Amino acid sequence: MTKQTDSMSKQVETNKNAGSEHPPVKEHYKDSLEGSENNSEGFLAEVKAVKRFWSPVWIVPILCVFIGLWIIYEHYSSLGPQVTLTTSTAEGIEAGKTRIKTRNVDVGIVESVELSDDFSQVILTARLSDGKEDFLRTDSAFWVVRPQIDKSGISGLGTILSGPYIELLPGVSKESNNTFALLDAPPIAAPDAKGLRIFLESDEYGQLAAGDPVLFRGYQVGTVETSAFNHETKKMKYQLFINSPLDNLITENVRFWKDSGVNVDVSAQGIRFEMSSLATLFSGGVSFDVPKGWSAGQKVANNTSFRLFNNRTNILEREFKEFDPYVILVSESIRGLEPGAPVEFRGIRLGTVIEAPMNINDEQIVKNDNLVIPILIHIEPARFTELLGEQFNVVEQYEKGNIKGLRASLKAANLLTGAVFIDLDFYPDDILVQEKQTFANYRVLPTVSGGIAQIQQKVMLTLDKINKLPVENFIQEATGTLETSKETLVALNDTLHSVNQLLSNQSTQELPAVMKTTLHELNTTLEGLQPGSQGYSSSVQTLQRLEQTLRELQPLLQTLNQKSNALIFEAPATVDPVPKAAKP
């Protein structure tokens, strides 16, 4: 039975390999079965081939394929919008880890961090959550939040442990965008903030920084948002945001100036010290206002540009569109005269110095054998017509011939700084000195020596007089006097030496004791002549007797005076005088 089974198996395999049909196999099985009916050990089962093209086993892989396709579909259909961010550095940003948040809610994640083709910047590819397409507008903003210490305080402390993340500020524009610049700091004002954005232009770099306050009379009304350098105009451009409703203060005639907290200005007008608000004392800022006497004008539109002045004083020195150019020719030093210096008439400003010295090429500047220096000035009528009227235009009156003797001169404005300005005034004694002329197609204002030249001339005259003094003779006489004085001092020294020797002699030293004894004896003698003493009484009696004797001798002396021989001859008797009667 076993042998039959083995032979049957071999026959089946042979039929399969040969591609034989099933009937021979069936016949073989039948023959085997008939031959084995009498076999008591068992029987061989009949094998039938089933014609079937599909099996239930295929249900499992088909279901797996459908499930996989569904998962892929669900994955891509649930993906949010993709956004591309560009930045200069990817410090702290990691692909698959750095989150994108809005109001501290996760809305996306950074998928990849790559360098650009020219290696100039870093390109971040991020994916937002599903349904966040409205977040990506042209005015949306992305910035990195990390620990930071600045003038506004300390921020981003929560990222010390969790690491930096990217903050998203959704925009309000109707236009979509998926490429943004990654900012290092948050924008000053939100896109939906109400207010006015304007620009300031300046010739100097670093005057303002993002975050500096914008002040109106010391009150903060806005903030500086950005600063950038325009390589075409070669000027700094600052973007400012003014909060609503204070943006109504920005009108056509407002002027902006740098507010540095403490401002010291040394100019031709003197030394000016100004101190602004505490908000700008350390960080600085920008202030604006309408100059006194000006009208406010109309409100300006968005993105209007203004000029940034260095300080408030420079605002008053505005640029006048209407002016009359003139040239003055000076033959003295212009040291201290700078462009921008004032041109005044008796303290009232009429114009401005534009070039000192004037830039010329082929003009003849030699006049009367002296090298004259040309100075270009602008006479600005609007400066004085606003205050004094059109008739005060002294230069125009001079041109018309209504006035004569108008002259320009250099005068010192500040002795401390050496600043000089141009002064216009009338000099009637100098009317015919200079005639009207032109220089480089500009009208020339005649000049006269200014205060500095006059002072120098007086100093030179004084020095000349000092130089003409007989100083040598005086020095010789003084030398002779000093020699004589020297000889006198030598003689005086010898005398003092002799006196010193005399005083050092023993006899001289004993002289005070002798004088003391003599004075004591004299004192004793004088004490004997004091009133009440015997000597004093005897002296008084002697004097009284002497007085009586002289009184008795007086008649004799009178007689002898009248007649000298009265002692020999008797003198005639004298008649007693008779008094005369009084007149009736």
Side-chain angles (χ1 to χ4, degrees):
M1 184 66 181
T2 305
K3 293 180 179 180
Q4 292 179 354
T5 304
D6 295 336
S7 61
M8 291 174 62
S9 299
K10 293 179 180 180
Q11 183 66 34
V12 172
E13 291 177 359
T14 303
N15 293 334
K16 288 182 180 180
N17 295 331
S20 61
E21 297 180 354
H22 292 290
V25 177
K26 290 181 179 180
E27 294 178 354
H28 175 73
Y29 281 135
K30 288 179 179 181
D31 295 337
S32 300
L33 289 174
E34 290 177 355
S36 61
E37 287 179 355
N38 298 322
N39 191 356
S40 60
E41 294 180 358
F43 60 94
L44 180 64
E46 183 179 0
V47 179
K48 296 182 178 179
V50 179
K51 296 181 180 180
R52 189 178 297 173
F53 296 97
W54 179 84
S55 175
V57 179
W58 290 102
I59 296 175
V60 176
I62 291 173
L63 289 177
C64 292
V65 171
F66 276 104
I67 292 173
L69 293 176
W70 177 257
I71 292 174
I72 294 173
Y73 171 77
E74 285 293 327
H75 172 73
Y76 284 100
S77 63
S78 63
L79 288 178
Q82 189 179 42
V83 59
T84 302
L85 305 176
T86 59
T87 180
S88 59
T89 177
E91 180 183 0
I93 299 176
E94 299 181 13
K97 183 178 180 180
T98 303
R99 311 296 299 182
I100 299 178
K101 298 182 179 182
T102 295
R103 301 183 185 275
N104 208 26
V105 176
D106 290 345
V107 295
I109 191 171
V110 176
E111 293 182 340
S112 64
V113 180
E114 299 177 353
L115 288 173
S116 62
D117 295 338
D118 57 356
F119 307 104
S120 62
Q121 58 185 355
V122 180
I123 299 177
L124 309 179
T125 303
R127 180 77 64 175
L128 299 185
S129 302
D130 186 23
K132 302 300 187 292
E133 291 82 2
D134 294 338
F135 287 3
L136 301 179
R137 302 297 179 183
T138 55
D139 54 353
S140 299
F142 292 82
W143 68 92
V144 180
V145 178
R146 54 170 61 95
Q148 187 175 3
I149 301 176
D150 53 17
K151 58 187 176 184
S152 60
I154 302 175
S155 60
L157 293 180
T159 61
I160 295 178
L161 299 178
S162 63
Y165 64 90
I166 297 176
E167 182 74 16
L168 165 61
L169 179 63
V172 295
S173 175
K174 295 182 179 180
E175 299 180 2
S176 300
N177 188 19
N178 60 355
T179 302
F180 300 89
L182 185 61
L183 307 177
D184 294 330
I188 302 301
D192 57 347
K194 295 182 179 180
L196 178 70
R197 279 184 170 85
I198 58 175
F199 295 95
L200 300 182
E201 292 185 350
S202 174
D203 296 331
E204 299 180 7
Y205 169 77
Q207 288 189 315
L208 299 177
D212 288 346
V214 179
L215 306 176
F216 176 77
R217 299 179 182 178
Y219 180 76
Q220 184 170 353
V221 299
T223 312
V224 178
E225 290 187 314
T226 61
S227 62
F229 178 75
N230 191 334
H231 65 280
E232 295 180 355
T233 61
K234 298 180 181 179
K235 292 185 178 181
M236 287 297 301
K237 194 171 187 178
Y238 304 98
Q239 179 178 314
L240 278 61
F241 180 78
I242 311 299
N243 300 314
S244 179
L246 299 175
D247 56 343
N248 294 324
L249 298 173
I250 308 299
T251 57
E252 296 175 342
N253 289 333
V254 297
R255 293 295 181 267
F256 293 83
W257 67 90
K258 177 70 171 65
D259 205 343
S260 58
V262 178
N263 182 28
V264 179
D265 182 24
V266 181
S267 61
Q269 285 74 23
I271 300 177
R272 185 187 301 272
F273 178 83
E274 295 180 356
M275 184 172 180
S276 302
S277 61
L278 294 177
T280 60
L281 184 59
F282 299 102
S283 61
V286 58
S287 296
F288 70 93
D289 203 346
V290 178
K292 186 177 180 181
W294 294 17
S295 60
Q298 300 294 327
K299 183 182 176 181
V300 300
N302 244 340
N303 301 327
T304 303
S305 296
F306 293 87
R307 177 186 173 187
L308 178 63
F309 292 87
N310 291 330
N311 51 59
R312 189 169 188 173
T313 305
N314 292 345
I315 294 177
L316 302 178
E317 309 304 329
R318 58 173 178 168
E319 296 181 357
F320 291 86
K321 297 181 180 179
E322 296 182 0
F323 56 86
D324 296 325
Y326 286 89
V327 171
I328 62 173
L329 304 175
V330 297
S331 57
E332 55 190 276
S333 174
I334 63 171
R335 183 180 182 85
L337 183 65
E338 299 290 339
V343 179
E344 298 181 356
F345 174 77
R346 297 178 180 177
I348 301 175
R349 182 159 185 172
L350 303 181
T352 306
V353 176
I354 303 301
E355 295 182 8
M358 179 182 174
N359 186 14
I360 57 176
N361 295 322
D362 299 330
E363 289 293 333
Q364 184 71 17
I365 61 175
V366 177
K367 181 181 179 181
N368 297 330
D369 298 330
N370 291 325
L371 184 65
V372 294
I373 302 175
I375 301 173
L376 178 63
I377 65 174
H378 283 177
I379 300 298
E380 299 152 342
R383 287 187 178 274
F384 46 85
T385 54
E386 294 178 355
L387 301 175
L388 304 173
E390 297 181 356
Q391 296 297 325
F392 191 77
N393 193 340
V394 294
V395 179
E396 182 180 357
Q397 299 297 330
Y398 166 77
E399 291 290 337
K400 293 180 179 179
N402 297 332
I403 56 176
K404 297 181 179 180
L406 182 65
R407 299 291 182 265
S409 61
L410 299 180
K411 288 190 176 180
N414 193 321
L415 296 178
L416 181 62
T417 62
V420 178
F421 71 100
I422 295 179
D423 180 68
L424 299 180
D425 209 337
F426 300 115
Y427 296 86
D429 298 336
D430 195 37
I431 293 178
L432 300 177
V433 172
Q434 292 175 320
E435 299 179 355
K436 295 181 181 180
Q437 57 180 331
T438 59
F439 181 87
N441 298 326
Y442 291 104
R443 290 170 292 180
V444 176
L445 282 178
T447 58
V448 69
S449 297
I452 298 178
Q454 293 177 358
I455 294 174
Q456 291 178 348
Q457 186 177 4
K458 291 181 179 179
V459 171
M460 294 302 298
L461 291 175
T462 304
L463 293 176
D464 290 340
K465 292 180 180 180
I466 294 174
N467 191 29
K468 293 179 180 180
L469 292 175
V471 180
E472 296 181 357
N473 296 334
F474 176 77
I475 293 175
Q476 292 178 357
E477 294 179 358
T479 303
T481 304
L482 290 176
E483 292 178 354
T484 304
S485 301
K486 183 178 180 180
E487 295 177 354
T488 304
L489 290 175
V490 172
L492 180 60
N493 188 23
D494 295 339
T495 303
L496 292 176
H497 181 69
S498 300
V499 172
N500 189 22
Q501 291 180 351
L502 179 62
L503 292 176
S504 61
N505 191 1
Q506 185 176 1
S507 300
T508 305
Q509 293 179 356
E510 293 176 355
L511 183 61
V514 175
M515 292 180 63
K516 183 177 180 181
T517 302
T518 304
L519 291 175
H520 180 70
E521 293 176 355
L522 179 61
N523 189 24
T524 303
T525 303
L526 293 175
E527 287 179 356
L529 296 177
Q530 291 181 356
S533 62
Q534 184 177 359
Y536 179 79
S537 299
S538 301
S539 300
V540 170
Q541 291 177 1
T542 302
L543 293 174
Q544 289 177 352
R545 292 174 183 172
L546 179 60
E547 181 181 5
Q548 184 177 1
T549 303
L550 293 173
R551 194 179 294 115
E552 291 176 355
L553 290 175
Q554 186 174 7
L556 177 60
L557 294 174
Q558 290 178 351
T559 302
L560 292 175
N561 187 30
Q562 294 176 358
K563 189 176 182 180
S564 59
N565 57 358
L567 294 176
I568 302 174
F569 300 98
E570 182 179 2
T574 58
V575 181
D576 295 333
V578 178
K580 296 180 180 180
K583 294 182 180 180

